[in-house]
Amino acid sequence: MNSVVLLVFGIAVLILGYLFYGRWLAKIWGIDPKRKTPAHTKQDGMDYVPAKAPVLMGHHFSSIAGAGPINGPIQAAVFGWVPVLIWVLVGGIFIGAVHDFGALFASIRHGGASIGEVIADTIGKRAKRLFIIFSWLALILVIAAFGSIVANTFCATFTETGAADTAASSANASTAMISILFIIISIAFGYFVYRKNTNIVVSSVIGVIAIVLCLVIGINFHPIYLSNTTWMIIVGIYILIASVTPVWILLQPRDYLSSFLLYGLMALAVIGIIGSHPALNNPAFTGFKDTLSVDVLHGSANLGYLFPALFVTIACGAISGFHSLISSGTTSKQLDNESQALPIAYGSMLIECALAIISLCALSYVWNDVKAGDVAFVPTTVFASGIAKMLSVIPGLENTYSTAYSLLVLAVSVFCLTSLDTAARLSRYMFQEFWLDDGQTYKDVTGAKRVLANPLFATAISVVLGIALGLTGYAKIWALFGASNQLLAALALLTIATWLGKAGKNNKMLFVPMIFMLVVTVVALIQAIFSNCGQIMAGADGVWPYVRAILAFFLVVLAIILAIEGLSTIKKQKKA
């Protein structure tokens, strides 16, 4: 099959899904444009701040995207492009987008409260506390995984003498420099739009021009060459500061501007795919067991069997529990009108599905190079190489490979930083929420609770633990991150179902996705426990195999308890 056919077919199916299934959900759930949102009823200038629809769309899309729709599909393609495509389309339309939209809607109707508060209202306070613990652990894994990916795109390689290899590290240094400049222009954008009320269209045009200038400067001037560990520490300090500042200073403007990078990335990819119109080089289906990773892809980690590996490896491109925390954590506090919930939540998820299909096309184009060892089987490298090579074979764009490659790597790192900032902010919400009752702030309590619920302390403990785990390398924690992330999605679906049931609304469309995701992820986490225990028995050095095994065990236990309580609640609702 040709890549253009694959892309056009996938996008057409996603559009139909939005027009028919998405709009049907909005209708039967009762979206009310006349109802005031929490951004207005609770406006505080810090977290509850009404955002213009394009700005909030940029924040939400950038936050949920990260590297997930690129990493997951490329890694899972060892099973063939057909299983990946089916899961992205079916999972995205009927599970992932429903999950994101439902989480946002439930949060809006609970005053912008988190999924944890929705659980307290529908299942009980004990379930809320267990869910908060689970979510907080999952967010630490998000910080670890994406922090490691960002550091890898920034860090330099060093020679045997300890000096930085500037030639080999030029692209990474350029990415780091542009990212730093990007943060500066984002702060300026936020100041002028939210404090000087500058016209959003004019500001956007100036912002895009400033992004181009950042690119030009960063590509030609990038003197910073630091190690992976140093960058991990710097990233940790950055997200610690960024996640405790008011959303209008950095979160909203940076996410909005970064969305232009993502749109530009996708436009470049579409131009490359259509312009080169290559055939799909990788296999359509390789079997139910991963035999390519070790035998063909030069010792890459073996994913095991298609079930459950496919469904936990591809998270953000089909369904991701992290999205429910964003929908109910930051987006619901900034939504200006309920009518915007469908395009921002359901629509953003489907755009992410399109990015997952683009990633699949990029891998296909360089598949033979990957097998030959000319392109490393690292998702970011595969994605950037594939799209850049497609562009470079189009007449008139023959000499654009290096520039396109740098731009694509930059875009991925910017989205990871966006997800990191949001994850750190959400971990603060979760950690504080555990110690406080509904409606309380840390100023309303005394003693140890006042310290533990302090915004800076709550953020710092999450960031320190996440960065420390991330230093072990994303490849070692991606499987655990994927499983916990998908289990979080299953629990969020369970929560949305119980809330809809209590509100007397149709929740039957959530039953099959909820049970399927619970089974998939519990099996995956049990496999992770056995895998890490095997490493321990084999004499693996270090403490991290123990940490990963214990963490996976606690996640399974918490999930089973919450599932039992949630399903019991649904059963009682049906009887009532």
Side-chain angles (χ1 to χ4, degrees):
M1 183 186 285
N2 190 281
S3 293
V4 176
V5 176
L6 178 70
L7 180 64
V8 171
F9 171 77
I11 292 176
V13 171
L14 293 172
I15 291 173
L16 290 173
Y18 179 88
L19 293 176
F20 290 98
Y21 198 63
R23 287 181 174 178
W24 175 73
L25 290 174
K27 181 179 179 180
I28 64 169
W29 285 353
I31 290 292
D32 184 4
K34 297 179 181 179
R35 187 179 181 124
K36 283 191 175 182
T37 62
H40 292 283
T41 60
K42 291 187 173 183
Q43 186 170 357
D44 61 4
M46 177 71 175
D47 295 316
Y48 290 85
V49 179
K52 296 177 176 64
V55 175
L56 187 56
M57 181 77 171
H59 156 69
H60 186 82
F61 184 36
S62 299
S63 295
I64 68 171
I70 294 171
N71 277 34
I74 288 175
Q75 290 185 67
V78 294
F79 295 111
W81 60 264
V82 169
V84 172
L85 180 66
I86 292 173
W87 174 231
V88 166
L89 294 178
V90 175
I93 293 171
F94 297 104
I95 306 179
V98 177
H99 162 275
D100 294 14
F101 182 33
L104 178 58
F105 186 46
S107 178
I108 294 168
R109 292 297 176 90
H110 279 76
S114 71
I115 288 292
E117 290 296 344
V118 178
I119 286 179
D121 181 50
T122 57
I123 302 176
K125 288 189 176 181
R126 187 180 75 161
K128 168 198 166 181
R129 288 184 172 272
L130 291 173
F131 181 82
I132 289 174
I133 295 171
F134 182 94
S135 301
W136 185 67
L137 292 174
L139 285 167
I140 288 175
L141 288 170
V142 172
I143 293 171
F146 285 2
S148 180
I149 292 171
V150 170
N152 283 334
T153 62
F154 287 177
C155 71
T157 55
F158 294 86
T159 64
E160 294 181 356
T161 61
D165 187 340
T166 55
S169 309
S170 177
N172 282 15
S174 177
T175 301
M177 187 67 183
I178 296 169
S179 297
I180 293 170
L181 294 173
F182 188 83
I183 292 169
I184 295 172
I185 66 169
S186 297
I187 295 172
F189 181 90
Y191 173 75
F192 283 106
V193 170
Y194 288 100
R195 285 298 175 264
K196 296 299 181 181
N197 295 315
T198 309
N199 181 274
I200 185 67
V201 176
V202 175
S203 299
S204 298
V205 172
I206 296 173
V208 171
I209 294 172
I211 291 173
V212 175
L213 290 175
C214 288
L215 295 173
V216 173
I217 294 171
I219 290 172
N220 294 282
F221 178 72
H222 39 265
I224 305 173
Y225 292 85
L226 302 174
S227 68
N228 182 283
T229 301
T230 303
W231 274 119
M232 282 290 286
I233 295 171
I234 292 173
V235 167
I237 295 171
Y238 162 73
I239 62 174
L240 174 62
I241 296 171
S243 59
V244 295
T245 57
V247 292
W248 65 267
I249 292 178
L250 185 58
L251 183 74
Q252 286 182 351
R254 191 215 44 227
D255 292 0
Y256 174 62
L257 290 176
S258 68
S259 68
F260 286 104
L261 275 176
L262 186 49
Y263 302 144
L265 174 152
M266 295 182 71
L268 280 177
V270 171
I271 292 171
I273 293 169
I274 294 175
S276 60
H277 50 273
L280 294 172
N281 295 318
N282 55 326
F285 180 61
T286 61
F288 291 97
K289 185 177 181 180
D290 173 16
T291 56
L292 285 178
S293 294
V294 175
D295 297 340
V296 178
L297 302 181
H298 315 289
S300 298
N302 191 292
L303 295 184
Y305 290 93
L306 186 144
F307 182 91
L310 176 72
F311 307 102
V312 296
T313 303
I314 303 177
C316 293
I319 176 172
S320 168
F322 179 53
H323 296 188
S324 69
L325 301 184
I326 294 170
S327 291
S328 66
T330 55
T331 304
S332 64
K333 295 175 177 62
Q334 302 172 62
L335 192 74
D336 187 49
N337 190 286
E338 275 196 10
S339 63
Q340 299 166 2
L342 179 65
I344 287 175
Y346 197 97
S348 290
M349 181 65 231
L350 297 190
I351 296 174
E352 197 175 50
C353 293
L355 180 56
I357 296 172
I358 289 172
S359 301
L360 197 58
C361 294
L363 170 64
S364 177
Y365 193 77
V366 294
W367 180 257
N368 292 327
D369 294 329
V370 171
K371 289 198 299 181
D374 297 329
V375 173
F377 191 57
V378 177
T380 304
T381 303
V382 168
F383 179 81
S385 298
I387 300 301
K389 285 189 175 185
M390 286 183 194
L391 289 167
S392 64
V393 301
I394 299 174
L397 300 177
E398 293 87 350
N399 300 316
T400 60
Y401 176 82
S402 296
T403 301
Y405 181 90
S406 297
L407 288 173
L408 292 162
V409 172
L410 166 69
V412 174
S413 67
V414 166
F415 305 134
C416 286
L417 269 176
T418 300
S419 297
L420 272 171
D421 180 354
T422 305
R425 188 177 291 267
L426 292 173
S427 67
R428 164 166 65 89
Y429 293 161
M430 291 293 174
F431 197 83
Q432 289 178 296
E433 200 173 292
F434 183 83
W435 306 105
L436 301 173
D437 293 327
D438 189 20
Q440 281 188 327
T441 70
Y442 77 100
K443 296 178 181 179
D444 299 322
V445 293
T446 58
K449 279 189 176 183
R450 188 182 181 93
V451 175
L452 292 167
N454 181 278
L456 188 59
F457 180 86
T459 308
I461 190 171
S462 306
V463 171
V464 169
L465 289 173
I467 294 298
L469 184 58
L471 286 169
T472 66
Y474 91 91
K476 295 181 179 179
I477 58 176
W478 188 263
L480 184 57
F481 158 71
S484 63
N485 184 46
Q486 299 300 68
L487 193 47
L488 179 60
L491 297 175
L493 287 168
L494 177 65
T495 305
I496 298 164
T498 57
W499 174 72
L500 288 170
K502 182 177 181 179
K505 299 178 183 292
N506 189 343
N507 63 358
K508 293 182 177 62
M509 76 291 293
L510 297 172
F511 292 168
V512 172
M514 171 184 68
I515 294 171
F516 176 73
M517 295 308 299
L518 275 172
V519 173
V520 163
T521 49
V522 167
V523 171
L525 281 170
I526 291 173
Q527 287 182 344
I529 294 170
F530 280 104
S531 174
N532 282 283
C533 287
Q535 293 178 33
I536 294 169
M537 296 297 290
D541 294 330
V543 71
W544 291 112
Y546 293 91
V547 173
R548 291 192 293 267
I550 293 171
L551 186 55
F553 175 77
F554 274 112
L555 290 174
V556 169
V557 172
L558 287 171
I560 291 174
I561 295 173
L562 283 168
I564 292 172
E565 293 202 9
L567 292 172
S568 175
T569 300
I570 291 175
K571 187 177 180 180
K572 291 176 182 177
Q573 289 174 345
K574 290 184 70 176
K575 287 183 178 180

